[in-house]
Amino acid sequence: MHALLTVLPLLLILVLLLPPFRFHILVAGLAGGVLAAIVGGLDLGKITHLYLGGLSQMLSIVSVAIFAATAMVLAKLGATQACMKLIQRTFKGRLGLVAAAMVLVQAAAVYVAGCGAANTLVTAPLIYSVVGFVPHVVAGLSIVSGASWATSPASAESAYISKAMNIQPGEYAEFMRPFTIAFWVIGALLAWYGVSRYAAARKIKPGGNGESAGQAGATTDGDGEALGAVARRALPFLLLLLLILIGPPLNRALGVNLFTTVTTPLFVLITAAITARVNPNRMCEMLVDGSVTILRYLFLVGLFLGFINLLGEIGTFKTLASLAGAAPAGLLVVAALIIAFLIAVPSAAYTVAIDALIIPVLAQAGVPVWAFGFVGIAVAQGAMISPAQINVAATAHGFQTDIMRIIRNNLPYMPVALVITMLMAVLFLR
């Protein structure tokens, strides 16, 4: 009976978030948090500590704020738009290929860096400026991002899961790589299909200052001077993308952390100041102004996470994880993946924290060690429809929309991705 009561606050949050109610995430979180406090008999001191912990968790993710502010500066200087023009010229107006290529860039960047949000803040605005908000592209980005950080040799998630499997992170990454690449292909094909379909229906609406596909495609390559000017404006953005991709492997090769959360934006901003001939004082003001939007998202997610912390305190997620043990032996792995996915939906601020919470419980229930990597992917897929997930906030920021629109967009796709993960696991078992 007590176990059932611990799950009720989570059910209440989900009911209030989903149709027909569709309450604001803070209203739903408040209702669930109050019920959790009542069920767990939490005193006001404990509630305050747990709630403020959620806010401090999110506001401590400084790398996201720095990269978001840098990306906003480049957008204001026209670097994002210029990069978009270069890409469109390269692909001769074939926007489906542009979208697929950018999804693969996102996949590679997340894989080498081991984290998603900072890279999303770079690639999402670029894609948005080219094709606008295309649901298939957003879903494709989300699918490749989750699979990449869940299996990256550089991520905290892989460090924890590989330790649980008693192997090295590199071995774990190699073991999961075929499945990771499969999700890359799925995400890229989904983006290509969506954009091709939208383009055929003339529904492409580039965001920001982007030109229409027709206008961009009509630009000739014969004007060498114009192309040079475009390339000069695009240079800072291309540099940022390049450093995100090659920075981590270069650091490992050199044995020195040359490209970090501080130095990478610094190199990029200095380049932008030089190429755009911007006064350093003005550049600093633009950087501060550029942080406003992402800080709003972080504050919102932190407030919601505070309520989720109350659910964690009363054992809601441990109760759910323990349900895997009730599944028949033949369905144990499938049950584990479904439970991992469901736990991540309301609470995935840090997916590694979800991994650390449920994998020991799943191991006690008899889930085989080799399945832990698939559990990590399932958690990441659930995170892509979680109001507490920073990558969802970063995606909303990049596509200039709100968090709940990203969640509603991804809602039809992530369960399908989970089914694919389950099929991979079952086929591998055989």
Side-chain angles (χ1 to χ4, degrees):
M1 183 62 181
H2 177 70
L4 176 62
L5 288 176
T6 63
V7 177
L8 283 180
L10 175 58
L11 295 177
L12 177 61
I13 290 175
L14 295 177
V15 167
L16 294 179
L17 281 177
L18 297 173
F21 298 105
R22 297 195 182 192
F23 279 104
H24 192 281
I25 62 173
L26 295 185
V27 175
L30 175 61
V34 169
L35 183 55
I38 294 172
V39 169
L42 304 177
D43 60 61
L44 288 177
K46 188 68 173 178
I47 292 171
T48 301
H49 174 73
L50 291 169
Y51 187 76
L52 293 180
L55 191 58
S56 62
Q57 272 182 281
M58 297 312 299
L59 294 181
S60 67
I61 309 178
V62 293
S63 61
V64 171
I66 292 174
F67 274 96
T70 303
M72 289 296 288
V73 170
L74 298 186
K76 289 181 180 179
L77 293 177
T80 305
Q81 181 189 13
C83 190
M84 173 265 291
K85 289 182 179 179
L86 290 178
I87 291 174
Q88 288 182 323
R89 289 187 183 188
T90 301
F91 287 93
K92 306 296 184 184
R94 291 171 289 185
L95 296 182
L97 293 179
V98 173
M102 290 309 302
V103 166
L104 291 176
V105 167
Q106 168 77 355
V110 174
Y111 192 76
V112 298
C115 60
N119 302 290
T120 302
L121 290 166
V122 176
T123 55
L126 179 58
I127 296 174
Y128 180 67
S129 70
V130 178
V131 298
F133 191 102
V134 178
H136 308 76
V137 176
V138 175
L141 274 179
S142 300
I143 288 171
V144 302
S145 297
S148 294
W149 83 58
T151 59
S152 164
S155 71
E157 288 77 5
S158 293
Y160 176 80
I161 295 174
S162 61
K163 185 177 180 180
M165 294 175 69
N166 199 28
I167 58 177
Q168 295 297 314
E171 295 176 278
Y172 165 74
E174 184 177 358
F175 171 72
M176 295 300 298
R177 193 165 295 136
F179 309 106
T180 306
I181 293 174
F183 280 113
W184 289 5
V185 173
I186 291 169
L189 287 176
L190 188 59
W192 170 81
Y193 168 77
V195 171
S196 298
R197 179 179 168 187
Y198 268 52
R202 298 185 180 275
K203 294 168 64 177
I204 295 292
K205 297 179 180 179
N209 296 320
E211 300 175 28
S212 70
Q215 289 171 324
T219 305
T220 64
D221 292 332
D223 189 348
E225 186 176 357
L227 180 61
V230 172
R232 178 176 56 80
R233 284 196 296 120
L235 179 60
F237 190 94
L238 294 173
L239 177 63
L240 177 58
L241 191 60
L242 180 65
L243 292 183
I244 286 176
L245 283 170
I246 70 171
L250 271 180
N251 287 342
R252 290 192 288 269
L254 296 173
V256 178
N257 284 330
L258 180 60
F259 303 106
T260 69
T261 304
V262 174
T263 58
T264 294
L266 183 60
F267 292 146
V268 170
L269 291 173
I270 290 174
T271 303
I274 295 172
T275 56
R277 300 181 179 89
V278 177
N279 183 284
N281 293 339
R282 175 58 183 154
M283 180 66 74
C284 292
E285 286 298 325
M286 292 175 69
L287 181 65
V288 174
D289 291 342
S291 69
V292 173
T293 305
I294 193 62
L295 289 176
R296 175 186 177 277
Y297 284 119
L298 291 175
F299 186 73
L300 171 62
V301 173
L303 292 177
F304 178 77
L305 184 59
F307 296 122
I308 296 302
N309 283 349
L310 301 182
L311 276 65
E313 179 67 16
I314 68 171
T316 299
F317 305 116
K318 288 184 179 179
T319 298
L320 287 175
S322 65
L323 293 178
L331 297 176
L332 186 59
V333 171
V334 171
L337 296 180
I338 293 173
I339 289 169
F341 180 91
L342 292 176
I343 290 176
V345 171
S347 58
Y350 293 99
T351 52
V352 66
I354 304 298
D355 294 336
L357 174 70
I358 66 174
I359 283 180
V361 180
L362 295 176
Q364 289 179 358
V367 174
V369 170
W370 62 261
F372 291 170
F374 296 102
V375 171
I377 291 178
V379 168
Q381 289 165 343
M384 292 299 100
I385 50 175
S386 172
Q389 170 54 225
I390 186 58
N391 196 69
V392 173
T395 305
H397 179 273
F399 284 92
Q400 297 183 22
T401 186
D402 59 86
I403 290 173
M404 289 310 299
R405 186 184 181 194
I406 299 298
I407 291 173
R408 288 193 296 270
N409 180 86
N410 287 349
L411 202 54
Y413 297 96
M414 292 307 143
V416 175
L418 174 65
V419 170
I420 294 172
T421 304
M422 290 190 290
L423 289 174
M424 288 177 175
V426 170
L427 293 174
F428 177 80
L429 177 60
R430 291 181 178 178

